């Protein structure tokens, strides 16, 4: 099978490094160095990874980070003839402003945004917690719509963003800074303490969320720059296939079941079964449960080597077109066997290069539904299925 760069490739040249962040204190604990330390020796990989959807899974609610159109006529959601919300830029900030009978009632400043690739949901701070704002931006329609599950007839501002949301959209969120080693963190403090200290948030999925704590690794290689073998860091090549997959599945397996440990404390090489009691599923949604859908695929069950990075390179920021995955498919399926019906309905250029369009089609999520205006039909939020299979084909 064609291999892309390993997810945790750390064996890059370690020459000419200088400790630029010696005074940095990571909120996760003293064994973390902070992802900004990685760029000192892994410049190209770090810069590319910072543009990836993982890194932008959460971000500060600044004007530069917020998606959407803020111009009049394109920034308003009307709940009825009297009540509306406008998304407005005011100075360096963005606000969701509630108007009633043409008069401003309250302006909610966007504190953090969740998502960037397909859609984005903003949240605001209130009493040491964040709450979801009622409008999100959806790239599929290039428009604002109700946040998932929110009403289109009445604005609502009381849905708290629980720490499980941060657990897969950020690299840390807690009620207090950790001043010692991360493995000494109390689970109750990390997940059940009903408060979030903004200083503890590490936005996005950063290097150490996937590679593990790197303070020893950084210190060693800054001291011994001529050592080319990575020390004091998890080598992905030494992990089993199951461990490699679970490093992704910890966040890409939907609602995982009864929690035993905080997801934030998961490190590459750990077992998901030590963090969650497995949940039985009747069905898998295309949003969030890519791992569950992949396990239903014959390609996955038969292969002894297939992992998430067989197809995905999380260090690359480019959006992959369907044709980009074809070489991965044909590396195993050298002889393409289509039925006569398929050959009649699908153009040859398409079935030779667009395997995923037929065998991993985009499907509507049942977990994310939204409306673009009052009492409108629910808009479809389409994501590519990770259940590789033979689906019913349609003529182009």
């Amino acid at each position: 099978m064609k291999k892309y760069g390993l997810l945790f490739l750390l064996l890059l040249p370690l020459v000419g490094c200088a400790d630029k962040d010696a005074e940095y204190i990571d909120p996760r604990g003293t064994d973390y160095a902070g992802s900004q330390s990685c760029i000192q020796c892994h410049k190209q990989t770090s810069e590319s990874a910072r543009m990836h959807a993982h890194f932008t899974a959460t971000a500060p609610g600044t004007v530069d980070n917020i998606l959407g159109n803020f111009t009049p006529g394109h920034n308003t959601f009307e709940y009825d003839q009297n009540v509306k919300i406008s998304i407005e830029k005011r100075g360096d900030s963005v606000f969701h402003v509630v108007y009633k009978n043409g008069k401003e009632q309250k302006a909610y400043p966007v504190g953090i945004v969740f998502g960037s690739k397909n859609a984005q949901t903003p949240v605001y701070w209130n009493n040491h917690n964040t709450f979801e704002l009622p409008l999100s931006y959806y790239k599929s329609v290039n428009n604002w719509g109700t946040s998932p599950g929110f009403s289109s007839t009445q604005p609502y501002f009381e849905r708290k963003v629980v720490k499980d949301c941060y657990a897969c959209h950020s690299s840390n969120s807690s009620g207090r800074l950790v001043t010692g080693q991360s493995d000494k963190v109390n689970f109750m403090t990390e997940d059940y303490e009903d408060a979030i200290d903004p200083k503890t948030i590490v936005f996005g999925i950063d290097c150490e969320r996937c590679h593990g704590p790197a303070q020893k690794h950084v210190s060693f290689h800054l001291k011994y720059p001529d050592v080319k073998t990575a020390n004091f860091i998890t080598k992905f090549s030494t992990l089993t296939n199951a461990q490699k997959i679970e490093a992704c599945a910890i966040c890409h397996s939907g609602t995982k079941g009864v929690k035993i440990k905080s997801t934030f404390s998961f490190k590459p090489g750990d077992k998901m079964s030590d963090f969650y009691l497995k949940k039985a599923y009747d069905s898998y949604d295309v949003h969030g449960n890519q791992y569950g859908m992949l396990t239903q695929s014959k390609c996955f069950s038969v292969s002894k080597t297939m992992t998430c990075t067989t197809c995905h390179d999380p260090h690359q920021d480019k959006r992959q077109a369907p044709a980009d995955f074809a070489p991965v498919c044909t590396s195993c399926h050298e002889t393409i066997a289509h039925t006569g019906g398929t050959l009649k309905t699908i153009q040859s250029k398409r079935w030779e290069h667009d395997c995923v369009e037929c065998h991993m089609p985009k499907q509507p999520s049942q977990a994310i539904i939204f409306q673009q205006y009052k009492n409108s039909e629910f808009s479809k939020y389409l994501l590519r299925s990770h259940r590789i299979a033979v689906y019913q084909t349609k003529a182009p």
Side-chain angles (χ1 to χ4, degrees), residues 8 19 21-38 40 167 170-173 177-185 190 200-202 204-219 222 232-234 262-268 270 275:
F8 303 104
D19 192 355
D21 301 285
E23 297 181 1
Y24 171 78
I25 299 176
D26 194 281
R28 291 168 286 191
T30 55
D31 47 335
Y32 283 84
S35 62
Q36 77 286 340
S37 66
C38 304
Q40 299 176 90
S170 75
S171 295
N172 193 66
S173 173
L177 299 171
V178 178
T179 57
Q181 294 283 305
S182 63
D183 58 3
K184 305 299 182 184
V185 172
E190 199 168 38
T200 69
I201 296 178
V202 178
I205 306 303
D206 74 345
C207 307
E208 289 175 287
R209 184 68 195 274
C210 295
H211 294 273
Q215 182 59 57
K216 284 186 178 180
H217 170 76
V218 171
S219 297
L222 290 176
F232 303 111
I233 202 76
T234 301
S262 168
T263 306
F264 282 124
S265 61
F266 182 94
K267 296 177 177 63
D270 289 346
F275 290 78

Side-chain angles (χ1 to χ4, degrees), residues 181-193:
Q181 294 283 305
S182 63
D183 58 3
K184 305 299 182 184
V185 172
N186 184 287
F187 179 35
M188 296 296 290
T189 299
E190 199 168 38
D191 269 14
Y192 288 106
E193 188 175 65

